[in-house]
Amino acid sequence: MTAALRLGTRGSALAMAQSQQFADSLTAATGRAVELVPIVTAGDRSSEPVARLGVGVFVSALRDALIDGQIDFAVHSYKDLPTAGDARLHIAAVPVREDPRDALISRDGRTLAELPPGSRIGTGALRRIAQLHALGLQLEVAPIRGNVDTRLARVRGPEADLDAIILARAGLSRLGRLDEITETLDPMLMLPAPAQGALAIECRADDSDTAELLALLDHPPTRAAVTAERALMATLEAGCSAPVAAFAVLAEGEPTESGDSTEEIYLRGAVISPDGSSDLRRSRTGTPAEAAEIGKALAAELLDLGADSILGQPARHSDPGTQEIGSTE
């Protein structure tokens, strides 16, 4: 009997849910059994904000276990991965992406535009805080942290103290909690984080057998979109807690002379100051094969416009301890 593949995952409800969903898909595609192996990461153990802990706090322990042979592959929320690669590891699959948009959950069913001035809206992500300020809706932003249920209790529980919160739609979807959503936010209002909603399935670079199995669930359009978004972030030298947003989609491009249709990536990127006073937004298109170059070129354009000075600004309108701990989205 072939041994079960050992899948390393964080132990949070969301991480376990998305890992189990991938395990089920892999078993259905290959017939191989998969065993989930929960691993505690530095980010799970600490109450410090992620910005102080450094890049990769939710993935380092998983990667160490993978390199040491304790697990056969790991499932990461792609946005948690450092942009710098590791020659010992290989991202064998990027599955079909969940909806990457942000979602508003309000106490009384009001949309973002319907919230009156002074409403208290909870989020721990500097990217969201910056975009909320840029909208000029005169909302009060309150720091939140903790798992999904803890955050939902701040707006829906008996001791609710917020008028609304913003979470990633992808996480709510994977937990079967889409009915909690009041409004899915248009990217024109709230551009997502780079790679939000996408998973990275990682194995050892020298494990060709596992890589071949995992590759059956790779989704090239998602991989291309995420490659463009992360190339932008890497070129800006920004981490996942920076006020950087990016969203790439693949669409049918102009037909060729032979009449064949082509695919294009349309990438939007933004760098927003923490107080919302500076809001740089640009877009760029190209082919999927050019995904990384598109992201780098768009980042260079944003840098020419002064993005580096924005990224160097302190987060005056957010508590430095507000980065959400215990959530992969």
Side-chain angles (χ1 to χ4, degrees):
M1 182 179 296
T2 304
L5 291 168
R6 297 164 298 170
L7 185 168
T9 177
R10 292 175 58 209
S12 70
L14 178 52
M16 293 291 285
Q18 66 191 24
S19 293
Q20 187 62 60
Q21 288 162 16
F22 181 82
D24 292 343
S25 297
L26 185 62
T27 299
T30 67
R32 288 292 298 272
V34 179
E35 171 193 358
L36 267 60
V37 181
I39 293 173
V40 178
T41 71
D44 297 316
R45 288 193 299 268
S46 177
S47 59
E48 288 289 311
V50 173
R52 292 178 189 162
L53 292 173
V55 176
V57 295
F58 290 121
V59 302
S60 294
L62 287 167
R63 288 180 140 185
D64 289 344
L66 186 53
I67 291 166
D68 292 343
Q70 300 172 36
I71 56 177
D72 298 305
F73 68 99
V75 172
H76 309 288
S77 282
Y78 211 149
K79 76 181 188 67
D80 290 341
L81 281 182
T83 53
D86 187 322
R88 298 168 296 180
L89 301 172
H90 170 60
I91 297 177
V94 182
V96 175
R97 187 182 202 172
E98 283 278 359
D99 189 331
R101 294 176 294 174
D102 285 313
L104 180 85
I105 298 95
S106 68
R107 186 190 303 196
D108 56 7
R110 294 183 178 182
T111 66
L112 184 62
E114 293 169 344
L115 290 172
S119 296
R120 300 186 72 228
I121 186 166
T123 177
L126 184 55
R127 167 190 61 85
R128 293 175 183 140
I129 293 169
Q131 291 187 85
L132 284 170
H133 286 309
L135 288 172
L137 298 177
Q138 300 180 354
L139 301 172
E140 179 185 341
V141 181
I144 58 172
R145 69 191 315 161
N147 60 32
V148 169
D149 285 327
T150 298
R151 285 175 278 162
L152 286 172
R154 298 286 302 275
V155 73
R156 292 274 174 85
E159 299 181 2
D161 61 341
L162 298 174
D163 297 295
I165 59 174
I166 298 178
L167 303 175
R169 179 183 168 93
L172 293 167
S173 176
R174 289 174 177 137
L175 288 169
R177 306 289 292 274
L178 288 177
D179 58 339
E180 302 279 1
I181 295 174
T182 303
E183 178 187 16
T184 298
L185 298 176
D186 190 311
M188 295 298 290
L189 293 176
M190 184 71 62
L191 204 62
Q196 184 162 299
L199 300 179
I201 315 302
E202 194 169 50
C203 66
R204 288 181 294 278
D206 60 3
D207 187 354
S208 58
D209 290 341
T210 300
E212 185 176 349
L213 289 174
L214 298 174
L216 294 173
L217 295 181
D218 188 57
H219 186 241
T222 296
R223 185 183 282 267
V226 169
T227 295
E229 294 167 11
R230 284 174 57 84
L232 179 143
M233 184 171 67
T235 306
L236 291 173
E237 297 184 352
C240 63
S241 61
V244 172
F247 183 33
V249 295
L250 267 68
E252 196 169 289
E254 294 294 326
T256 64
E257 291 183 1
S258 63
D260 296 330
S261 62
T262 59
E263 278 191 325
E264 277 191 338
I265 287 183
Y266 174 51
L267 172 65
R268 283 177 282 174
V271 179
I272 312 99
S273 63
D275 64 1
S277 60
S278 297
D279 188 352
L280 301 179
R281 295 175 186 263
R282 290 294 185 273
S283 63
R284 190 168 283 258
T285 61
T287 67
E290 300 167 327
E293 287 70 27
I294 295 167
K296 292 174 185 177
L298 184 52
E301 184 176 350
L302 291 168
L303 289 168
D304 286 343
L305 294 170
D308 52 348
S309 63
I310 293 176
L311 291 170
Q313 292 183 27
R316 294 185 296 273
H317 287 260
S318 63
D319 181 340
T322 61
Q323 182 71 28
E324 295 166 9
I325 300 292
S327 169
T328 52
E329 288 292 350

